[in-house]
Amino acid sequence: MTEDKVLQLTELYERLDTADTEDELKETAEKILELDPKNACGRLALWKSMDIDEAVDNLELLEDALEEQRAHVQAMDAMPSVSDSRDAQVYGSMLLNLAQSYLSLAWADDENPDLDREEQALELGRELLQLDKKEEFFPARDLIYRCMLDLQMYNDIFRMLEDEDEPSVMGEHARVMAMLETGADAGEVRDAMLYAMSLASDVPTLLLGIWDMPEDGNADEDEELTAMYANYLAVPWCSSERRITTISVPAFLFCYLTDRLEDKKEIKALEECYETLGILDEVRKAKERIQALPAEETQLEEIDSYALGETAQLVEKMAEKE
């Protein structure tokens, strides 16, 4: 390749990095492919510029590009660092996008999930983790936990959790479901559920439909991350009545205590339920204590943390009355 083409490609790569729209992404990708028809970065960008239906119809484009990019990276003398290598970043992005596509295809029919596609997604997730072990760029473990839940690989989940340097939202939610499915003590499951909620308190709020998912372009980075967790976790959490109950009891109580509920019918139904259990007065007193916290001096995270403590005590009382 001539020096002039290399310079042109470098400029186009920079344009890709700053592209704001799918049209701009597509236009830049096409220019890259005019210069270099087999360019991995260009093929990835072209595929990412497509709408969902078109991307599914052209999945072979991404599969072929990944096969070639994998061979290219693995032929290097040493595996490149993801933080320093565009080749590695493109390779990782291909793995992640293809794995997520396989996961979506696996659940195209909710009643008959395609477990072969799930296993393909899991293998790509593991390959991605080998590439980016510290997850500097790609959330490989989140994808792996989701696939393991769908494939009922509960012991593998426990083993993977042992290798984590610090707790993760996906990992702790996966732990709760794995505990539930392997016969753990009910009190331990409740404690694990509340701990998972403490890492990202609005994940249950979104996945249970208490709040709507944020619209594209209208969410900050934290909201986007919370929505990603909720999207990953919605299917496994809602796959059985027992799982739904496990997450919804503390989640709805927490939302009631922190005024996250907006539907008056939901609020009334919860109050009737708490009254039937004989704990409505205690719930209301807990809510009053939370509302009495000095809002100007207390961060939202501190209020949520206090509310989760109140939730934990009330959930135990509810369990005693069952």
Side-chain angles (χ1 to χ4, degrees), residues 48-67:
K48 289 174 72 173
S49 73
M50 300 174 183
D51 61 35
I52 293 175
D53 291 337
E54 189 180 4
V56 170
D57 290 340
N58 287 276
L59 205 56
E60 189 175 342
L61 168 66
L62 186 57
E63 291 171 330
D64 290 344
L66 171 59
E67 187 175 343

Side-chain angles (χ1 to χ4, degrees), residues 129 132-143 164:
L129 188 58
D132 186 13
K133 291 183 175 66
K134 295 182 179 180
E135 294 185 289
E136 294 177 278
F137 278 73
F138 304 107
R141 284 185 176 83
D142 293 343
L143 173 67
E164 285 211 355

Side-chain angles (χ1 to χ4, degrees), residues 102-135:
Y102 285 159
L103 188 59
S104 296
L105 288 172
W107 288 90
D109 180 353
D110 290 348
E111 296 182 1
N112 297 290
D114 185 342
L115 297 185
D116 289 337
R117 285 292 193 186
E118 277 285 353
E119 290 176 355
Q120 286 179 297
L122 176 58
E123 287 308 307
L124 292 177
R126 286 170 166 162
E127 186 177 346
L128 181 59
L129 188 58
Q130 283 299 111
L131 174 70
D132 186 13
K133 291 183 175 66
K134 295 182 179 180
E135 294 185 289

Side-chain angles (χ1 to χ4, degrees), residues 4 80 151 193 202 229 238 265:
D4 183 53
L151 294 168
M193 181 72 258
D202 284 327
Y229 292 139
C238 298
K265 290 182 180 179

Side-chain angles (χ1 to χ4, degrees), residues 1-272:
M1 185 177 294
T2 65
E3 184 178 344
D4 183 53
K5 276 191 176 182
V6 171
L7 290 172
Q8 289 182 65
L9 284 172
T10 300
E11 182 180 333
L12 289 168
Y13 291 153
E14 292 174 356
R15 286 176 58 183
L16 275 185
D17 293 339
T18 58
D20 293 324
T21 65
E22 290 179 354
D23 287 341
E24 188 177 351
L25 193 65
K26 181 179 180 180
E27 179 185 347
T28 307
E30 288 174 342
K31 288 181 178 179
I32 289 173
L33 293 172
E34 285 176 11
L35 292 169
D36 180 8
K38 288 287 189 178
N39 186 281
C41 194
R43 286 195 284 179
L44 173 63
L46 181 63
W47 184 84
K48 289 174 72 173
S49 73
M50 300 174 183
D51 61 35
I52 293 175
D53 291 337
E54 189 180 4
V56 170
D57 290 340
N58 287 276
L59 205 56
E60 189 175 342
L61 168 66
L62 186 57
E63 291 171 330
D64 290 344
L66 171 59
E67 187 175 343
E68 292 186 18
Q69 187 67 2
R70 178 189 286 127
H72 171 65
V73 170
Q74 292 180 352
M76 296 178 179
D77 293 335
M79 184 66 73
S81 167
V82 179
S83 59
D84 299 327
S85 167
R86 180 178 288 274
D87 279 331
Q89 290 167 19
V90 171
Y91 177 28
S93 186
M94 286 178 172
L95 287 168
L96 181 61
N97 279 278
L98 189 56
Q100 290 175 332
S101 297
Y102 285 159
L103 188 59
S104 296
L105 288 172
W107 288 90
D109 180 353
D110 290 348
E111 296 182 1
N112 297 290
D114 185 342
L115 297 185
D116 289 337
R117 285 292 193 186
E118 277 285 353
E119 290 176 355
Q120 286 179 297
L122 176 58
E123 287 308 307
L124 292 177
R126 286 170 166 162
E127 186 177 346
L128 181 59
L129 188 58
Q130 283 299 111
L131 174 70
D132 186 13
K133 291 183 175 66
K134 295 182 179 180
E135 294 185 289
E136 294 177 278
F137 278 73
F138 304 107
R141 284 185 176 83
D142 293 343
L143 173 67
I144 292 170
Y145 281 127
R146 166 59 198 274
C147 294
M148 285 181 172
L149 283 168
D150 292 341
L151 294 168
Q152 301 181 17
M153 299 170 64
Y154 305 125
N155 289 329
D156 293 85
I157 288 172
F158 292 135
R159 281 192 289 270
M160 189 165 171
L161 284 163
E162 290 176 0
D163 293 334
E164 285 211 355
D165 293 331
E166 56 185 39
S168 68
V169 174
M170 281 295 301
E172 293 309 312
H173 276 266
R175 185 196 301 277
V176 182
M177 285 181 266
M179 291 174 67
L180 194 63
E181 300 300 338
T182 54
D185 176 76
E188 292 179 359
V189 173
R190 289 193 296 272
D191 289 344
M193 181 72 258
L194 286 157
Y195 180 67
M197 287 176 60
S198 75
L199 298 179
S201 56
D202 284 327
V203 168
T205 312
L206 292 176
L207 73 85
L208 291 170
I210 297 170
W211 283 355
D212 293 333
M213 290 286 184
E215 295 181 6
D216 291 342
N218 293 331
D220 61 28
E221 188 175 343
D222 287 341
E223 290 170 336
E224 287 180 355
L225 192 58
T226 299
M228 183 199 77
Y229 292 139
N231 278 319
Y232 265 142
L233 289 164
V235 168
W237 265 123
C238 298
S239 64
S240 72
E241 287 297 325
R242 184 169 59 159
R243 288 189 184 184
I244 291 172
T245 300
T246 298
I247 190 171
S248 63
V249 169
F252 273 95
L253 176 56
F254 173 76
C255 288
Y256 178 86
L257 293 175
T258 56
D259 286 326
R260 281 170 162 83
L261 293 174
E262 299 174 356
D263 189 322
K264 292 182 179 179
K265 290 182 180 179
E266 281 185 349
I267 294 171
K268 184 179 179 182
L270 280 174
E271 289 177 339
E272 290 174 352

